[in-house]
Amino acid sequence: MNRLLVTGGAGFIGSNFIRYILRKYPDLRIANLDALTYAGNLENLRDIEKDPRYSFVHGNICNPDDVAKAMAGCDSMINFAAETHVDRSIHEAGAFVDTDVRGTFVLLEAAKKYKIERFLHISTDEVYGSIEVGSFKETDTLNPSSPYSASKAGGELLAHSYFVTYRLPVLITRSANNFGPYQYPEKLIPLFVTNAIDNKPLPLYGDGKNVRDWLYVEDQVEALDLVLQKGILGEIYNIGAGNEEMNITVTKETLKLLGKPESLIRSVKDRPGHDRRYSVATEKIHALGWKPRHSFQEGLEKTVQWYAENEAWWRAVKEKQAAYQEWYKKHYG
Ligand code: NAD
Ligand code: DAU
């Protein structure tokens, strides 16, 4: 691997991945193609932007010309670019179908043309839908609930079909909920940490007992690097941390770490189609040689500290999201 194309590298996981890879591989060059949607932020990469091994291409994965420009000279790629927030997909699903399905198709076509040697496509554990007990294996049936997870399922099925039909060297991961530095403050943990710092209410959906498996982003990027280097082509890998927590527990732990009162918790109506629990079986990624290093508590402490120390970053981001916040307030009260 000499030159890696990262798509969606200005977002949360993508920017953490780029930083990690540049640190780990001194000879690797990276091109980052990102449309800079509301979720893309070049501040996430400020510390590495002048690294001569890194270049940024402002463009859209739905546009074949942008993709061709970014892919030129690359031998491998990792696709993070997506619309990613479930509530936004409930509000307006069109952008999800465009980027998460059609954008994936444009990338696959280009990868075929430019003879990409390894194509890692980032999917999500949400494609399985909800599970009451036990954990989903990679071979289980997909049963997505939201326009977000259905679009992600469409994108990854298309990616897999390019392996089966054209032998395009595709790998797929299905990850649990990530958390950590640079996560956009619309997702549960960064929203609640930043609201709590400002003594604003923490809007907890439904009974607060939905369960998510919390994967610290530094563990996630290590797993993705491993799959990109050593994964078997055509295979799908679940990535989970075994850190299953109810939302109410996450909320109380966050408040405790910040020394804020539980009276900030506000019960609001439930998210439509809200999946109760996500859980994935992780034997396959463990067998490849990865295990998470962070417990939920360790990851949360680091995350809370990062947001406490980087107020300028999240205040600037929150100021720009007024229109979405208006819809959110109307919907959840
Ligand atoms: P994010 O929303 O923080 O970032 C998405 C990035 O993609 C942004 O930089 C945005 O500008 C870019 N982008 C969006 N549409 C684009 C387009 N049409 N062309 C080019 N760039 C575009 O997302 P994230 O949380 O970092 O998630 C990254 C990937 O990981 C996504 O594919 C997501 O589905 C998947 N995933 C995320 C999680 C999680 O918990 N965050 C868990 C599992 C899987
Ligand atoms: O499971 C992986 C997925 O995790 C990724 O594919 C998605 O991109 C990512 O957004 C995330 O989806 P979730 O819907 O699980 O994450 P979110 O942070 O939006 O919500 C986590 C839980 O918290 C969920 O049960 C809904 C609840 N919640 C969320 C918000 C934003 C609240 O109770 N209140 C809130 O304000």
Side-chain angles (χ1 to χ4, degrees):
M1 209 163 77
N2 292 315
R3 190 175 166 88
L4 174 69
L5 171 62
V6 178
T7 57
F12 162 49
I13 307 176
S15 59
N16 278 284
F17 179 80
I18 290 174
R19 185 170 293 105
Y20 172 79
I21 291 291
L22 286 174
R23 214 184 307 129
K24 183 163 173 196
Y25 301 102
D27 296 327
L28 187 69
R29 283 166 303 142
I30 291 183
N32 173 19
L33 171 66
D34 198 296
L36 298 179
T37 67
Y38 79 94
N41 186 351
L42 291 178
E43 288 303 320
N44 300 0
L45 294 159
R46 206 48 90 198
D47 53 328
I48 58 95
E49 70 182 358
K50 294 205 168 70
D51 190 312
R53 296 168 298 157
Y54 169 79
S55 59
F56 178 68
V57 181
H58 187 195
N60 197 310
I61 63 164
C62 299
N63 180 332
D65 294 336
D66 291 350
V67 171
K69 187 171 153 203
M71 204 176 274
C74 293
D75 48 26
S76 50
M77 59 171 293
I78 177 163
N79 178 28
F80 293 101
E83 289 292 336
T84 62
H85 192 39
V86 173
D87 290 313
R88 285 183 191 256
S89 82
I90 294 166
H91 172 47
E92 212 165 23
F96 289 74
V97 180
D98 289 346
T99 291
D100 302 8
V101 185
R102 185 161 178 86
T104 304
F105 161 72
V106 172
L107 291 175
L108 291 164
E109 279 292 302
K112 180 152 69 79
K113 184 168 165 195
Y114 290 97
K115 304 205 178 338
I116 289 292
E117 289 162 20
R118 291 180 83 81
F119 182 137
L120 174 51
H121 179 74
I122 310 301
S123 188
T124 167
D125 64 355
E126 296 203 10
V127 295
Y128 294 114
S130 193
I131 187 164
E132 285 290 322
V133 285
S135 303
F136 285 119
K137 294 191 293 294
E138 286 84 350
T139 45
D140 283 330
T141 310
L142 305 191
N143 187 22
S145 313
S146 69
Y148 163 66
S149 50
S151 304
K152 289 296 291 185
E156 71 148 275
L157 287 173
L158 210 46
H160 186 65
S161 81
Y162 271 60
F163 171 75
V164 176
T165 307
Y166 306 111
R167 290 287 140 185
L168 190 75
V170 168
L171 298 137
I172 293 169
T173 54
R174 295 182 182 145
S175 304
N177 284 62
N178 280 226
F179 68 116
Y182 299 103
Q183 187 169 30
Y184 195 87
E186 63 186 352
K187 309 278 165 52
L188 179 78
I189 290 180
L191 177 70
F192 281 16
V193 172
T194 56
N195 278 13
I197 289 173
D198 281 345
N199 299 309
K200 286 189 180 152
L202 276 42
L204 190 61
Y205 300 162
D207 64 4
K209 292 186 179 161
N210 301 67
V211 172
R212 298 291 183 266
D213 174 10
W214 294 98
L215 172 63
Y216 191 62
V217 68
E218 284 176 16
D219 291 329
Q220 161 77 318
V221 299
E222 286 184 8
L224 297 179
D225 175 35
L226 181 68
V227 175
L228 187 58
Q229 307 289 340
K230 302 228 170 87
I232 297 169
L233 296 179
E235 292 291 314
I236 297 166
Y237 295 88
N238 288 338
I239 306 175
N243 290 331
E244 289 189 29
E245 299 288 352
M246 284 195 281
N247 292 340
I248 182 69
T249 311
V250 174
T251 307
K252 287 184 178 172
E253 283 303 313
T254 301
L255 288 169
K256 207 197 297 174
L257 284 171
L258 286 163
K260 299 285 181 174
E262 289 184 8
S263 55
L264 285 177
I265 301 174
R266 177 176 298 164
S267 279
V268 298
K269 72 177 178 180
D270 211 354
R271 173 187 274 175
H274 196 175
D275 285 330
R276 193 64 171 169
R277 174 174 173 261
Y278 297 138
S279 183
V280 287
T282 46
E283 284 79 4
K284 201 168 164 181
I285 186 76
H286 290 176
L288 198 63
W290 173 87
K291 276 204 168 61
R293 296 175 198 273
H294 294 79
S295 68
F296 174 66
Q297 193 61 32
E298 286 163 346
L300 190 64
E301 281 169 20
K302 281 172 120 172
T303 304
V304 166
Q305 191 184 345
W306 188 86
Y307 281 87
E309 288 171 357
N310 289 277
E311 282 201 18
W313 179 89
W314 58 261
R315 287 199 188 283
V317 169
K318 274 188 139 178
E319 262 168 34
K320 282 195 226 146
Q321 58 171 202
Y324 171 70
Q325 271 178 345
E326 207 174 290
W327 171 82
Y328 182 94
K329 253 195 206 143
K330 226 192 267 170
H331 189 79
Y332 287 110

